[in-house]
Amino acid sequence: MKKFLGVIALASLVLAIGTPVGAADKGKLKVATSLPAPGFWNGDTPATLDGGFEWAMAADIAKILGYSGVTYSNVSFDGLVAGKAKGFDLALSQVTITKDRAKVVAFTSPYFSSDQGVMVNTGTKVDSSNLKSLQWGVQTATTGQDFLKTQIKPKKTPRAYQETSQMFAALQAKQVDAVMIDTSIVLQQAADSDGKFEVVGQFKSGEKYGGILPKGSKLVKSVNKAIAQLKSDGTLSELADKYLTAEYGKDPQKVPYLTK
């Protein structure tokens, strides 16, 4: 009998060693984002995603935490930062950590640094002499919108758009003179524009991206540990080089800074 029990125990040990922790019972990690977001999420719909900095980061976090994979959903950015988006475990959507947002959502530790970039139709001049007279375009509920309102204080009310694609279309149609959003985002868009757009500079805002979880989520500590691991082993740097710097051909830190 003891021998029989010993065989069962050994078999159980072998099974446990051969199975990733939690993979059998956690299922897939539900990750949300706001599309499109080239460089961070390559693809226009959840079904067509095939790369990107946050896309790969989500897969790595899921693997570290023992999930069997990832499922994706597309949510509105303003709904996400307002704490109104539902049905996900973790959202990665180039969201700057702010005190006001932290009142309605739970943030992970920071995983990416960014400033506010300025993109125009190629040839348009932007400097301290005309900042206030330009017709600006901006995405609703972003820190870029706040920066324009509190720091630039333009004479014309900035035109706000629900999605970045709408904002970029307005720029191409010359309905706005310039757009402001995170430098890494406009660099990617300029690189994909066949020379139509150019990034003329950026403003120092010292922003940090954080993942979003529903308020009260028990996953915050686990996700933070996973992010810390991805930082320490160099994975996040490698992903940034592969999907961001290599894609748009320019390091955000080398974009010149504008003065107000």
Side-chain angles (χ1 to χ4, degrees):
M1 185 65 178
K2 290 181 179 179
K3 183 177 180 181
F4 179 68
L5 292 175
V7 171
I8 293 177
L10 179 60
S12 298
L13 178 61
V14 170
L15 180 61
I17 292 174
T19 304
V21 177
D25 55 13
K26 282 190 176 181
K28 294 187 176 182
L29 183 68
K30 293 178 285 186
V31 177
T33 193
S34 180
L35 300 172
F40 288 90
W41 296 87
N42 296 338
D44 294 328
T45 67
T48 59
L49 293 172
D50 62 359
F53 177 83
E54 289 175 338
W55 175 86
M57 180 183 170
D60 286 336
I61 289 175
K63 183 177 181 180
I64 291 170
L65 298 187
Y67 286 85
S68 59
V70 182
T71 60
Y72 308 102
S73 62
N74 187 17
V75 299
S76 71
F77 186 85
D78 54 346
L80 178 62
V81 298
K84 296 180 179 179
K86 306 295 180 183
F88 64 90
D89 300 313
L90 170 67
L92 299 173
S93 196
Q94 313 100 66
V95 180
T96 298
I97 300 170
T98 69
K99 291 182 179 179
D100 284 342
R101 290 172 177 173
K103 294 176 182 177
V104 293
V105 300
F107 275 109
T108 68
S109 54
Y111 62 83
F112 192 86
S113 298
S114 183
D115 290 311
Q116 288 296 318
V118 177
M119 187 172 73
V120 299
N121 287 305
T122 299
T124 300
K125 175 186 175 183
V126 177
D127 58 29
S128 58
S129 69
N130 68 347
L131 282 176
K132 294 184 183 296
S133 61
L134 294 173
Q135 176 62 68
W136 289 90
V138 71
Q139 186 182 17
T140 302
T142 60
T143 49
Q145 187 176 40
D146 291 336
F147 191 91
L148 277 172
K149 180 180 179 180
T150 62
Q151 302 296 319
I152 303 301
K153 300 177 182 178
K155 296 176 182 178
K156 301 174 185 177
T157 302
R159 293 177 178 171
Y161 302 90
Q162 185 78 18
E163 307 294 344
T164 55
S165 56
Q166 298 169 339
M167 178 176 68
F168 299 143
L171 177 63
Q172 186 171 353
K174 298 185 179 180
Q175 295 170 356
V176 296
D177 300 314
V179 299
M180 179 179 290
I181 198 166
D182 303 15
T183 305
S184 56
I185 295 175
V186 288
L187 279 175
Q188 181 67 46
Q189 191 64 32
D192 291 341
S193 72
D194 294 324
K196 295 184 181 71
F197 299 148
E198 65 176 323
V199 178
V200 292
Q202 62 181 331
F203 290 98
K204 190 71 175 178
S205 57
E207 299 176 36
K208 303 287 185 182
Y209 291 171
I212 282 182
L213 300 94
K215 203 71 171 174
S217 172
K218 296 180 180 179
L219 283 177
V220 176
K221 289 185 178 179
S222 297
V223 173
N224 282 345
K225 288 182 180 179
I227 291 174
Q229 179 177 324
L230 294 174
K231 284 182 179 178
S232 64
D233 66 13
T235 297
L236 291 186
S237 293
E238 291 175 3
L239 294 180
D241 287 341
K242 178 179 180 179
Y243 290 109
L244 299 176
T245 304
E247 286 289 330
Y248 49 61
K250 195 169 188 178
D251 185 339
Q253 295 182 12
K254 294 181 180 179
V255 174
Y257 282 94
L258 299 169
T259 56
K260 293 177 284 184

